[in-house]
């Protein structure tokens, strides 16, 4: 190689290594991967609506950078989520991965986020272990244990002595079962049967007949968001609503999104959860009004996971002054504290998991609509599964 060629090669290398043109550098991209088709479409719709509402209210420029949201449908299938995450990183060069409507979808993406050193904001999935799968994961949703333990205490203190548990047979269902059973039995309660129902095409009817025959004081149920509608229909068809067996559980079963379709049979169902459309704070009233105005449905607990996830992304970018280095963004997110429509929340700096108030609620009819009306609150609840491991 002569001198001129060498200089030419060096110049080409310099150009290749030079910073991107200003326009490309100025955009921060968020890849939102959610189920917009398939059995968990309602979850995806809630997540997308809330993320868009946050951007509409807070603008699309943060720390001098333009924010771009790229929405992709994974149909609730983990192989799609992982493929889409890789495409978003490689082709679109996203700076954040977000969404994750179900646990298996988050689990499949965790190693991809680790390899790319890109923050992964889990806005819906609720299995405890998820945050341990990558140091780049932060969670703005909830864990099933948070509600299950509070629910168990309430049951034990409210004349419920025997319980049958019925959960969807996958990781969050197992967490919901284990946390409830452990705490309820610690309080002297008795779990007489533990039933697990497949996630695909669930038919609760045969199990509900068994529950009717066993006559426990309460039936504790976990199903993922939206699926509660099938359970409730079969609960009424089998006459369990008139059997004296109380229906209790984490609030996924009385999901605000589908609750109105349950009819009056749902009145009186008691659940523990992190968010109710009916939460009486000024911040939530404003949120619900804006959400309803922008969409033709009301916000549920999935929506606040996305709304708060967007807030966390915006605030982290402000703290890093627009820098998109994954480690710097994670540092900015750890320990962040703010007021959500659900109440005060923070990101545990040690676990990167959410700390939040859990509410006891009862389904009531107000102005012709069914709501989860809060009657007790338990502030600063951390994930009990991780706390027990320490
Ligand atoms: C999960 C999904 C849900 O729809 C829900 O309500 C709770 C947990 C999950 O897969 O983690």
């Amino acid at each position: 190689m002569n001198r001129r060629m060498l200089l030419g090669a060096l110049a080409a290398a310099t150009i290749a290594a030079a910073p991107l043109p200003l326009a490309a550098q100025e955009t921060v991209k968020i890849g939102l991967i959610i189920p917009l088709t398939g059995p968990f479409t309602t979850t995806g719709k809630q997540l997308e609506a809330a993320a868009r509402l946050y951007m509409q209210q807070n603008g699309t420029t943060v720390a001098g950078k333009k924010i771009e949201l790229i929405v992709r449908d994974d149909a609730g299938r983990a192989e799609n989520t992982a493929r889409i995450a890789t495409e978003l990183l490689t082709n679109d060069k996203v700076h954040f991965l977000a969404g994750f409507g179900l646990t298996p979808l988050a689990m499949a993406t965790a190693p991809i986020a680790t390899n790319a050193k890109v923050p992964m904001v889990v806005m819906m999935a609720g299995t405890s272990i998820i945050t341990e799968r990558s140091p780049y994961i932060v969670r703005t949703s909830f864990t099933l244990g948070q509600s299950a333990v509070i629910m168990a205490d309430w049951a034990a203190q409210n004349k419920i002595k025997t319980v049958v548990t019925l959960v969807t047979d996958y990781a969050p269902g197992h967490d919901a079962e284990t946390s409830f059973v452990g705490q309820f039995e610690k309080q002297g309660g008795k779990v007489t049967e533990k039933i697990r129902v497949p996630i695909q095409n669930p038919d609760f009817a045969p199990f509900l007949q068994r529950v009717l025959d066993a006559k426990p004081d309460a039936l504790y149920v976990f199903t993922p968001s939206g699926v509660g509608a099938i359970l409730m229909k079969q609960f009424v068809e089998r006459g369990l609503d008139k059997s004296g067996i109380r229906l209790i559980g984490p609030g996924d079963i009385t999901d605000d999104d589908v609750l109105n379709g349950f009819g009056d049979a749902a009145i009186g169902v008691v659940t523990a959860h992190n968010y109710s459309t009916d939460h009486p704070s000024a911040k939530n009233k404003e949120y619900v009004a804006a959400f309803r105005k922008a969409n033709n449905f009301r916000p549920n607990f999935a929506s606040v996971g996305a709304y708060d996830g967007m807030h966390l992304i915006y605030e982290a970018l402000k703290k890093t002054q627009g820098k998109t280095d994954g480690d710097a963004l994670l540092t900015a997110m750890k320990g962040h504290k703010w007021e959500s429509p659900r109440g005060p929340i923070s990101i545990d700096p040690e676990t990167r998991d959410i700390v939040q108030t859990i509410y006891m609620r009862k389904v009531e009819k107000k102005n012709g609509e069914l709501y989860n009306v809060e009657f007790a609150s338990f502030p600063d609840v951390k994930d009990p599964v991780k706390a027990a491991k320490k």
Side-chain angles (χ1 to χ4, degrees), residues 259-288:
L259 181 60
N260 268 319
F262 290 7
D264 290 356
I267 292 173
V269 174
V270 170
T271 56
H273 215 40
N274 64 336
Y275 176 70
S276 167
T277 308
D278 189 55
H279 180 61
S281 71
K283 176 115 191 153
N284 186 50
K285 285 187 176 148
E286 198 184 297
Y287 174 67
V288 173

Side-chain angles (χ1 to χ4, degrees), residues 40 42-43 100-106 122 124-128 130 139 141-144 170-173 199 222-227 250-253 255 273 300-302:
F40 301 100
T42 54
T43 295
F100 310 103
L102 294 147
T103 289
L105 316 182
V122 174
M124 178 62 176
T127 304
S128 174
I130 290 173
R139 171 156 36 206
S141 48
F142 53 87
T143 71
L144 273 308
Y170 77 127
I199 186 166
F222 165 77
T223 62
S225 177
V227 180
D252 310 71
I253 182 186
D255 182 351
H273 215 40
N300 74 354
F301 63 99

Side-chain angles (χ1 to χ4, degrees), residues 170-186:
Y170 77 127
H174 303 167
D175 273 6
E177 180 196 277
T178 309
S179 290
F180 177 85
V181 173
Q183 185 74 5
F184 187 57
E185 292 190 337
K186 218 195 284 173

Side-chain angles (χ1 to χ4, degrees), residues 54 102 112 117 149 183 195 269 298 310 336-337 369:
Y54 189 86
L102 294 147
I112 298 168
K117 298 190 190 306
V149 164
Q183 185 74 5
I195 302 170
V269 174
R298 59 189 195 178
M310 291 300 290
H336 193 68
K337 233 185 171 100
E369 283 194 49

